[in-house]
Every structure is written in structure tokens, then in C-alpha cells.
């Protein structure tokens, strides 16, 4: 986000605003047009062209470009893009109406330099950047540090700071100590038990804001014991979500009964979270035929706020049942993420904890990647659900 920009963007309230596209319109069902801003240059000095924009979209959604993109579901419904002859514009095609297409491009789809991508090896592209954004990459050391310098040729007003350094620190204590010793200006994911320490320190404070990220534990429907709906329901009844929010997250979180959030289009306000009912959980385990089973929850370490502690609590509640044994497997996030985003459900762990953020404010961008049969992070498959989601892609938003 420091180096790359999108066709559209969002303001602080989540509204859609212009970015590399200075205008946009729906031409007909399944076709929208973006007018590409003139006078924008990449960090390499190349001018931004409509060809760059069309290529950037196609490399995400079209496997024929030779790149299997993990962002494909983020532009759900988009099938391709092409330059409009004689105009500084790009047409984007969708399968059906695609009612949230502009919302998608305000949240996803960074624009890259076509010639720069094609003239460099993937290994080079993975270590360098050539965007249009307010900062230019100076150095990148994976897992250690990223250094950006101000882009003085930025098409908008240049940034107020001359340099920006982002340092990696997976341990929360390292981040907090760095802040309190004035080695860092901003840190993220302050653990709840450290909040008072930050607030009591002169010159530092906590800023808590609502998040679009949902933390979930996924159960693969195609493997034992999770192939049983009764067992999956038992897992939900066994876990005291309210206690996790109160005691593990110190109220820095909230329960949700569904994979989308209040305020999103498609949110169902009539659903309530599963109640904590271990007796019902044990009965459902017996009904499932999997009494005595052993299960293992795979979790990343340090990726999300108290992720390991959440996983330990979840597995602990299940292990407390008389007829289930549960444990936690702490994993490197990149290794875990690569397993669940490769498009092959059979490489996914049977039970895993991850997070999913959706900045489109529309339920589809959670439902499609996580729950449709071909979703990038799917752990479930249901033909009727797939049909309904596909049908919804051709309905106007007001329906």
C-alpha cells in the first residue's frame, strides 16, 4: 500500500473515492469502464498507461497470463479487462452484473508496470517494487525490515515524512519494548495484558478501532471427524466465545454468529452465536459416531492478536469434553497460509485457525473465498450454496 495503488480507493469512512481512475461508470450488465488518470508515473519513471491497468487486472483473474494469483477471489466475478481503442480507458468484464464491482476495485487490485513485470524474473519482482504510490522501496530484507523513501514525483501531494521504516517483530514484548524505548513510533497488535503499560508510559497511548477481520477456526468437511455436521456443531457448542473475548482478549474483540460483520451488505441480524453448552457438545459427539477422537488445531504464531492463546483456549474447551481429545500445533504463518491458499483442499490441515479481512463491506467477499467450492480458502463444499452465491452475483445490490 505504500508503493502500489488501485484504480479506486476509500476515505476514512469507507466511502469510494477516485485514485488511478479519475472516472468510472457502468456501461451495461457485466461491463464497466474506468477512465485512467494522465500524468502518473511509476517509480522507474515509466508513464502509467491503460495497457498497464488491463494487464494488472488480467494477471489477477486470468490464469492464461501464466500467474496463479492468490488475489483471484478478491476480484470475484471479474473475468478480464481490455483497453478501449482511441481512449485513455479500460473496460472490465464480469460474469453477470457483479453489483459490487466498484467496491472491489476500491479495496483490491494494485496496478503494476507491465513492462517491468515482464522484463524481470519472478524472484526479482518478489524482492522489488515499481508502483505509483507515495513511497519508493529502498531496501527489503524478508522477515526483518522494509525501508521506503518518499516519492518526490508523486502525482498527488508528496508525503510529509522523508522515509518510512517497517520492522518485523513477531514477539509482542519486542514491539512494546521498542515503542516504550522510543525506537518505534507506531506498533500493532499490543496484547491486552500490555495495554496498561503502554497507557501509563509518558508519550505513548493506545488507539483501538473496529476491525474488518474475523478470526475463525475452519473444519474440513471432507475428512474425519469433521465430515459429520453433528461433530462440527459439537465443536461450536463446546467453545465459550464470551469467555475468550473477556479473558483472552480483555474485551478487545467481539463474538460473531456468521463470517461477515454488522454493517455489511448481507449481514443477517437474526443469527446469534452458538451458546456455550458442553453437555450438548458431548451428546452431539456421541451422535456423530466419533466419540474418543483426537483432533489437532493448527494455528499461526504472532500473526493475530493473541492467536496462540485463542487456539489454546479453543482446543482446551474441546479437550474438556469427556469424549474428545484436542491439542494445538503452533505453525509458521507463511507455511500455514501457503497450504490453505493453494487452491487444493486436500493440502489444508483438517482443522486450522486463521483470520480473514474484508474491506468491501459486502458479505460476498467473505463467502466466496471461504465457503464456495472453488474458493481460495475453502474448507467446505455445497452445490446449492455455490448456486445461490453465483445467482447473487447477477443481482443489483438493492435486492
Amino acid at each position: 500500500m505504500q508503493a502500489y495503488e488501485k484504480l479506486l480507493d476509500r476515505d476514512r469512512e469507507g466511502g469510494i473515492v477516485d485514485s488511478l481512475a479519475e472516472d468510472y461508470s457502468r456501461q451495461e450488465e457485466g461491463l464497466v469502464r474506468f477512465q485512467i488518470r494522465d500524468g502518473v508515473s511509476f517509480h522507474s519513471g515509466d508513464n502509467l498507461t491503460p495497457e498497464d491497468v488491463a494487464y494488472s487486472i488480467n494477471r489477477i483473474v486470468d490464469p492464461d497470463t501464466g500467474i496463479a494469483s492468490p488475489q483471484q477471489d478478491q476480484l470475484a466475478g471479474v473475468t478480464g479487462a481490455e483497453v478501449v481503442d482511441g481512449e485513455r480507458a479500460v473496460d472490465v468484464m464480469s460474469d453477470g452484473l457483479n453489483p459490487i464491482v466498484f467496491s472491489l476495485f476500491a479495496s483490491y487490485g494494485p496496478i503494476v508496470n507491465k513492462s517491468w513485470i515482464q522484463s524481470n524474473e519472478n524472484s526479482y519482482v518478489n524482492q522489488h517494487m515499481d508502483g505509483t504510490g507515495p513511497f519508493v522501496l529502498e531496501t527489503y530484507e524478508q522477515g526483518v525490515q522494509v525501508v521506503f523513501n518518499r516519492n518526490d514525483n508523486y502525482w498527488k501531494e508528496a508525503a510529509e515524512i522523508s522515509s518510512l521504516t517497517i520492522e518485523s517483530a513477531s514477539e509482542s514484548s519486542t514491539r512494546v519494548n521498542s515503542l516504550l524505548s522510543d525506537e518505534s513510533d507506531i506498533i500493532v497488535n499490543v496484547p491486552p495484558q500490555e495495554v496498561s503499560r503502554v497507557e501509563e508510559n509518558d508519550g505513548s497511548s493506545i488507539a483501538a478501532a473496529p476491525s474488518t477481520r474475523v478470526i475463525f477456526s475452519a473444519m474440513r468437511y471432507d475428512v474425519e471427524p469433521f465430515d459429520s455436521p453433528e461433530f462440527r456443531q459439537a465443536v461450536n457448542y463446546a467453545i465459550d466465545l464470551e469467555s475468550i473475548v473477556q479473558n483472552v482478549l480483555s474485551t478487545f474483540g467481539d463474538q460473531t454468529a456468521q463470517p461477515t460483520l454488522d454493517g455489511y451488505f448481507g449481514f443477517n441480524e437474526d443469527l446469534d452465536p452458538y451458546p456455550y453448552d458442553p453437555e450438548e457438545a458431548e451428546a452431539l459427539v456421541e451422535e456423530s459416531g466419533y466419540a474418543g477422537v483426537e483432533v489437532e488445531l493448527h494455528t499461526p504464531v504472532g500473526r493475530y492478536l493473541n492467536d496462540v492463546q485463542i487456539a489454546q483456549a479453543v482446543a482446551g474447551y474441546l479437550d474438556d469434553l469427556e469424549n474428545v481429545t484436542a491439542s494445538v500445533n503452533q505453525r509458521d504463518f507463511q507455511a500455514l497460509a501457503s497450504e490453505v491458499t493453494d487452491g487444493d483442499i486436500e493440502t489444508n490441515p483438517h482443522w486450522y485457525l486463521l483470520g480473514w479481512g474484508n474491506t468491501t463491506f459486502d458479505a460476498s467477499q467473505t463467502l466466496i473465498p471461504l465457503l464456495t467450492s472453488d474458493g481460495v480458502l475453502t474448507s467446505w463444499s455445497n452445490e446449492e450454496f455455490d448456486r445461490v452465491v453465483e445467482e447473487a452475483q447477477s443481482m443489483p445490490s438493492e435486492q
Side-chain angles (χ1 to χ4, degrees), residues 254-279:
D254 203 357
Q255 302 179 58
T256 179
Q258 53 198 288
T260 189
L261 300 171
D262 191 7
Y264 280 57
F265 184 82
F267 178 80
N268 187 345
E269 61 184 15
D270 295 328
L271 295 179
D272 294 318
Y274 274 80
Y276 175 50
D277 191 341
E279 292 183 1

Side-chain angles (χ1 to χ4, degrees), residues 8 61 152 187 287 328 343 367:
L8 304 173
V61 304
D152 291 324
I187 64 172
E287 185 179 340
V328 171
L367 302 181

Side-chain angles (χ1 to χ4, degrees), residues 205-226:
S205 61
I206 291 288
S211 171
T212 63
R213 176 168 282 157
V214 175
I215 304 298
F216 62 94
S217 66
M219 298 171 275
R220 273 180 53 184
Y221 81 107
D222 60 331
V223 294
E224 298 180 350
F226 303 110

Side-chain angles (χ1 to χ4, degrees), residues 296-300 327-331:
E296 182 180 64
L297 177 59
H298 292 237
T299 180
S327 60
V328 171
N329 184 352
Q330 298 184 29
R331 301 283 306 280

Side-chain angles (χ1 to χ4, degrees), residues 60 96 132 142 247 251 323:
I60 294 174
T132 61
Q142 184 173 351
N247 299 314
T251 72
N323 47 10

